[in-house]
Amino acid sequence: MKNTISHRVADFLKNFPPFTFLNQKDIELLSEQISIIYKEKDSVIFAENEETHSSFYVVHKGAIALRKGSKNEIIDMCDEGDIFGLRPLIANENYKMEARAYEETILYAVPITIFRPYALQNESVGNFLIQSFASNTQNPYSQSHRGKLYGDNPGEDNFNPDAKLFDIHPAKYSKKIVTCSAITTAKEIAEKMIKKNVGAVLVVEENKLPIGIITDKDLRNKIVTGEYPITTPASVIMTSPVITYSKKLTITQAQMAMMKSNISHICLTKDGTPNTKAIGIISKQDVMVSLGNNPSVLIKAIKRAKKVKEIKPVRVSIMQLLQGYIDQKIPIELTSKIITELNDACIQQVIAISLKKMLTPPPVKFAWLAMGSQGRSEQLLQTDQDNALVYEDVAEELKEKTKNYFLELATHVNKGLLEIGYDYCPAEMMASNPKWCLSLEEWKNLVHKWITDTGKDEVLLSFIFFDYSLSYGDSEIVNNLSDFILDDIKANPVFYIHLVSGALQSPSPTGFFRGFLLEQDGANKDTFDLKRRALMPLSDAARVLILSHSVKSISNTPERFEKLAELEPHNRELYLACSHSYRTLLRFRTKQGLLHNDSGQYIALGDLTKLEKIKLKSAFKTIKEIQEIISIRFNSSNIL
């Protein structure tokens, strides 16, 4: 007779990670060993510094508040399907926080000794538990515990950023494999190739294991020449053994394998050996297509462009490249650098083409500045333009003529950027706007006004402008402007109060009970604003803190936090957590933008899985703490 209670437990668990990674039979066996615990409101499950239990817990109904410190502040809330109390599974030490029932709650207690084998044998389960455990420590990406139970994970965190681009770029392959048996005749194979429009047929045994391959070259050399009749079976004319690799094969590996064995096709199998079922085939043509989407090839194509319209198809390839990197889980920091370099190359070439349209060379040195997300090297998806132009100071009688020259140039550039896929900025924060095309002295005067006569608009403008980076032109002008900004802020420290006030305007990502706060009205009603509620609070805080240390030439948000970790060792854990959180959120936004062909800013929560929601909430944990730091550090009593 079925154990009704354990089956109800199994039916619940199968909907939530990490149990979603197990098969139904394993979930049912595990559920037979799970205890059901009822807790009244305010009752303690475990106390801070208490010895660890023999189980970890899953919330079935109700909610659990995780509290820490003498003030007993709520660090996190766990609701239906959430797991907590993982310390005995991951780290051999007492609990670091208290778990207390926030309301009447029913828990499932999962025995550690019973569950541990599943975690060790299933990589997805292990990785999820490590991440869940780390997200409940002070640093959501704590290095002190990461991977302790399961050993080094050869995944994203251990990726070598210095690897050659060809080596990290996956070769595309065809999953539509055309097969035949060893007794199939050459005539039948040729007919298959024509019908399926393929250049190779895989010879397999009854269990689908690959034993040989026949290409159109084999048919030409062995059948068309008359060496063998068309009735010859595949076993006679096939190339054997088959050269096999796993689906993680890179372009370089595919190229080398084909050159080494003088072959035009490679068979991909489940484990990379001929002893498992074939899952795909890579041809020499596939490799050539993959090479065509490589960054170095795209850079060359951009630089060869003589007209703006020739850059537009390259932008399409850049988006395909981005999709490939996201699919292959290439680290977002490396992805950002590559895509930013390609975007910068597009901008530079548009400017170079625009300069040729001018009747005369530039009258003085100038610099084209990318601002906002592009200035921070975080513009992975195609959004609108944010740019400015600064040029050398000239004598009074030359001011009008010089400004008109650069406005004309900027108009050509902005139009060219529009043509290759960057929409005009709705607020006209573009170099073709006279307000954003100024001499060095004019920029200094404007920035000084923002810093000394600060209102809401000035704070917003400084947020956008202070994230600039040089896209094209003279670096000395930019350094001069950067030095002025840092010196002027240092001389007017009250400006920090306005910056912090602006930074704290970004709405919270969640309510008190960990629910996502959704947009209440407008075109994006009932969606979650990932940009304003999650990314902006972190980027705004990083900007304020890095300016306070007078650090220039670092505009990327994660890199700002990493620099801050060096400058303030006592806050190292938090700053590194912020860096990881931002990259997690940026990857998530990029994935959503590519999936829905938009900016990825507004997320429909109904489209997300439980695991995706958990990852998002884990990334939110640093926002409150970093906002508290800037609020305390830059309050008026500390500044004046």
Side-chain angles (χ1 to χ4, degrees):
M1 188 175 78
K2 286 186 176 180
N3 184 331
T4 306
I5 294 177
S6 69
H7 275 76
R8 286 179 181 174
V9 173
D11 286 343
F12 175 83
L13 293 179
K14 70 182 181 181
N15 297 310
F16 301 98
F19 308 100
T20 50
F21 303 123
L22 301 176
N23 61 50
Q24 183 65 28
K25 183 178 179 181
D26 285 339
I27 295 175
E28 290 176 359
L29 290 173
L30 180 64
S31 297
E32 292 176 2
Q33 306 298 320
I34 287 175
S35 301
I36 302 175
I37 300 173
Y38 169 77
K39 288 289 182 180
E40 294 182 349
K41 181 180 179 180
D42 289 329
S43 58
V44 175
I45 293 85
F46 52 77
E48 190 173 348
N49 294 320
E50 181 181 329
E51 290 187 3
T52 53
H53 299 179
S54 59
S55 301
F56 68 90
Y57 303 94
V58 183
V59 180
H60 174 54
K61 290 183 178 178
I64 298 295
L66 300 180
R67 303 170 184 266
K68 185 175 177 65
S70 58
K71 295 182 180 180
N72 212 22
E73 294 180 350
I74 294 180
I75 302 298
D76 198 6
M77 294 287 288
C78 300
D79 48 27
E80 181 179 324
D82 287 341
I83 60 177
F84 67 97
L86 289 168
R87 191 161 292 275
L89 182 64
I90 310 294
N92 187 23
E93 55 191 23
N94 294 350
Y95 291 113
K96 296 298 183 183
M97 59 184 71
E98 175 194 86
R100 183 187 293 268
Y102 187 74
E103 57 188 53
E104 283 187 302
T105 301
I106 297 175
L107 302 174
Y108 292 155
V110 184
I112 299 294
T113 55
I114 302 296
F115 190 81
R116 190 184 297 272
Y118 295 107
L120 292 170
Q121 295 164 16
N122 189 310
E123 184 180 4
S124 296
V125 172
N127 288 342
F128 177 81
L129 291 174
I130 289 290
Q131 184 180 33
S132 295
F133 170 75
S135 70
N136 283 321
T137 63
Q138 181 179 7
N139 179 353
Y141 297 86
S142 171
Q143 295 301 314
S144 58
H145 296 295
R146 181 178 290 278
K148 285 292 179 68
L149 179 63
Y150 313 104
D152 292 334
N153 174 24
E156 190 168 314
D157 291 329
N158 292 326
F159 192 90
N160 176 14
D162 296 324
K164 292 181 180 178
L165 296 179
F166 281 126
D167 291 335
I168 66 172
H169 197 72
K172 293 184 178 180
Y173 63 90
S174 173
K175 296 179 182 178
K176 296 179 180 179
I177 309 170
V178 179
T179 63
C180 70
S181 69
I183 61 173
T184 306
T185 66
K187 182 176 183 295
E188 292 171 319
I189 292 169
E191 289 171 347
K192 274 194 175 188
M193 286 185 175
I194 294 171
K195 184 178 180 180
K196 300 291 185 180
N197 192 29
V198 295
V201 171
L202 202 61
V203 185
V204 297
E205 295 180 331
E206 289 183 5
N207 54 5
K208 303 297 182 182
L209 298 185
I211 59 172
I213 189 169
I214 296 175
T215 67
D216 49 9
K217 183 179 178 181
D218 292 322
L219 293 178
R220 289 197 305 271
N221 292 345
K222 297 176 182 179
I223 303 299
V224 177
T225 59
E227 182 178 352
Y228 294 99
I230 59 174
T231 54
T232 304
S235 58
V236 175
I237 60 174
M238 70 182 183
T239 300
S240 183
V242 184
I243 306 297
T244 59
Y245 283 86
S246 73
K247 66 178 182 180
K248 294 180 180 179
L249 187 70
T250 66
I251 297 174
T252 299
Q253 290 172 327
Q255 274 189 305
M256 295 299 292
M258 289 179 178
M259 291 171 62
K260 180 180 177 182
S261 303
N262 192 27
I263 56 177
S264 58
H265 293 77
I266 294 174
C267 175
L268 303 182
T269 61
K270 193 171 183 180
D271 68 357
T273 73
N275 303 317
T276 52
K277 186 178 178 181
I279 58 173
I281 282 186
I282 292 180
S283 68
K284 190 173 288 187
Q285 177 63 24
D286 294 327
V287 171
M288 295 306 296
V289 170
S290 295
L291 283 170
N293 270 352
N294 188 273
S296 60
V297 175
L298 294 177
I299 287 284
K300 290 178 181 177
I302 294 167
K303 291 183 176 180
R304 283 197 303 265
K306 302 298 182 185
K307 297 180 180 179
V308 169
K309 65 180 181 181
E310 295 172 9
I311 302 175
K312 189 172 183 177
V314 182
R315 284 289 308 148
V316 175
S317 296
I318 292 173
M319 287 297 99
Q320 292 172 348
L321 182 72
L322 174 61
Q323 181 72 68
Y325 283 172
I326 293 297
D327 291 343
Q328 294 296 318
K329 297 182 179 179
I330 299 224
I332 196 68
E333 58 266 38
L334 181 58
T335 299
S336 297
K337 287 178 181 177
I338 294 171
I339 300 302
T340 297
E341 287 292 330
L342 290 167
N343 286 340
D344 279 345
C346 290
I347 294 170
Q348 290 162 9
Q349 194 64 13
V350 169
I351 295 172
I353 292 170
S354 299
L355 281 167
K356 292 180 180 179
K357 294 180 180 179
M358 304 297 289
L359 297 177
T360 61
V364 292
K365 294 178 181 178
F366 75 99
W368 185 276
L369 305 180
M371 302 185 301
S373 58
Q374 178 65 15
R376 295 193 302 271
S377 301
E378 296 163 9
Q379 190 183 59
L380 302 183
L381 302 166
Q382 287 189 191
T383 56
D384 58 315
Q385 301 180 42
D386 285 312
N387 45 59
L389 193 149
V390 53
Y391 53 87
E392 281 185 310
D393 297 321
V394 295
E396 185 66 33
E397 63 271 16
L398 297 175
K399 282 186 177 181
E400 184 178 357
K401 183 179 180 181
T402 304
K403 187 178 184 72
N404 288 339
Y405 178 93
F406 285 112
L407 280 174
E408 182 183 349
L409 172 63
T411 300
H412 286 307
V413 175
N414 288 146
K415 184 179 179 182
L417 293 176
L418 174 69
E419 190 174 339
I420 67 171
Y422 294 101
D423 289 339
Y424 285 141
C425 174
E428 296 188 9
M429 294 179 184
M430 300 180 295
S432 55
N433 181 342
K435 295 179 181 179
W436 293 91
C437 180
L438 304 172
S439 69
L440 179 59
E441 189 63 30
E442 288 172 331
W443 271 119
K444 288 179 179 179
N445 292 336
L446 180 59
V447 169
H448 179 69
K449 181 179 182 299
W450 292 346
I451 293 172
T452 57
D453 185 19
T454 305
K456 186 176 179 180
D457 290 342
E458 284 75 16
V459 170
L460 175 61
L461 292 172
S462 64
F463 274 7
I464 296 169
F465 184 76
F466 286 178
D467 286 343
Y468 64 72
S469 64
L470 175 65
S471 291
Y472 187 101
D474 188 74
S475 60
E476 275 189 38
I477 297 176
V478 180
N479 286 331
N480 191 318
L481 180 59
S482 297
D483 288 338
F484 173 82
I485 291 173
L486 295 176
D487 290 341
D488 206 32
I489 292 176
K490 192 178 294 184
N492 298 277
V494 176
F495 182 60
Y496 288 117
I497 297 175
H498 299 289
L499 284 180
V500 171
S501 177
L504 297 178
Q505 293 302 308
S506 299
S508 171
T510 58
F512 180 73
F513 195 59
R514 296 211 319 155
F516 288 84
L517 292 180
L518 306 181
E519 300 307 294
Q520 297 300 307
D521 48 38
N524 300 296
K525 187 176 184 294
D526 296 330
T527 63
F528 178 72
D529 190 339
L530 188 65
K531 176 183 175 181
R532 290 179 62 245
R533 293 188 183 272
L535 287 164
M536 280 179 59
L538 290 170
S539 63
D540 290 347
R543 183 186 305 108
V544 173
L545 289 164
I546 208 73
L547 283 172
S548 71
H549 285 281
S550 296
V551 174
K552 64 178 182 179
S553 303
I554 300 180
S555 56
N556 179 261
T557 301
E559 290 178 5
R560 281 174 167 172
F561 279 123
E562 287 160 10
K563 183 63 177 179
L564 289 166
E566 293 178 20
L567 298 170
E568 300 179 27
H570 57 288
N571 286 322
R572 176 180 173 82
E573 283 278 304
L574 173 61
Y575 290 147
L576 292 181
C578 289
S579 176
H580 281 286
S581 293
Y582 196 87
R583 285 183 170 130
T584 297
L585 293 166
L586 186 60
R587 171 180 286 277
F588 191 85
R589 179 182 179 179
T590 304
K591 287 179 66 175
Q592 292 296 311
L594 290 171
L595 180 64
H596 300 291
N597 194 31
D598 58 21
S599 69
Q601 178 173 348
Y602 296 98
I603 309 299
L605 294 185
D607 295 339
L608 304 184
T609 65
K610 175 71 174 180
L611 179 56
E612 287 174 325
K613 291 177 184 177
I614 288 173
K615 287 183 176 181
L616 270 182
K617 287 181 179 179
S618 294
F620 295 163
K621 292 178 186 291
T622 55
I623 294 175
K624 180 181 179 182
E625 194 166 350
I626 196 67
Q627 287 189 329
E628 286 176 352
I629 280 186
I630 63 173
S631 179
I632 294 170
R633 183 177 299 184
F634 301 108
N635 67 33
S636 57
S637 61
N638 288 339
I639 293 293
L640 299 177

